[in-house]
Amino acid sequence: MTDTVQADPAHAFIGETIAQHDVVLFMKGTPDQPRCGFSSLAVQILDHVGAGFVGVDVLQDEALRDGIKSFTDWPTIPQLYVKGEFVGGSDIIREMFQAGELQALMVEKGVPLGGDGSGEA
């Protein structure tokens, strides 16, 4: 881990979470109850492709909400990670899905598709 991750508990949590789970969506709300349209769209897309994922509600902790933005230097939420790699936010997820690239990325990274393995961290 980098010095930044060690010095920031939110960054440490984020790093551990994306290391422990194949697909992680940092979002507003939970997969069952998204609290913004962008998070809802991301959940719908992941559910549609059948990618099991862990949803992390950033609204539960202000440090986490700010930390996820600085972790990737990406200003918006939701944020999708696949096998530890930052993929993007809602618009990128949607564009990749529409082009068939999201499904291809999941297959390339060895993420099983077709199941309902959504959960919460």
Side-chain angles (χ1 to χ4, degrees):
M1 288 188 195
T2 66
D3 291 338
T4 304
V5 170
Q6 292 174 347
D8 186 331
H11 283 194
F13 172 78
I14 294 163
E16 291 169 11
T17 302
I18 63 176
Q20 293 173 357
H21 304 281
D22 287 348
V23 182
V24 181
L25 183 66
F26 289 89
M27 60 183 292
K28 293 179 181 176
T30 65
D32 291 334
Q33 294 185 328
R35 294 186 55 198
C36 84
F38 298 110
S39 291
S40 179
L41 176 63
V43 167
Q44 289 175 34
I45 290 170
L46 291 171
D47 283 347
H48 184 77
V49 299
F53 68 98
V54 170
V56 179
D57 183 1
V58 300
L59 297 178
Q60 297 301 312
D61 184 343
E62 190 66 32
L64 179 59
R65 185 176 180 178
D66 292 337
I68 192 64
K69 295 175 184 178
S70 62
F71 188 82
T72 54
D73 196 25
W74 189 263
T76 60
I77 298 165
Q79 294 188 14
L80 177 66
Y81 291 79
V82 176
K83 294 280 189 164
E85 178 183 325
F86 175 58
V87 175
S90 180
D91 290 344
I92 291 172
I93 296 167
R94 184 187 71 240
E95 291 169 11
M96 289 180 72
F97 169 70
Q98 290 172 336
E101 295 170 0
L102 184 62
Q103 301 88 315
L105 174 69
M106 298 285 185
V107 170
E108 175 187 318
K109 296 283 187 178
V111 174
L113 299 179
D116 179 25
S118 64
E120 298 171 21

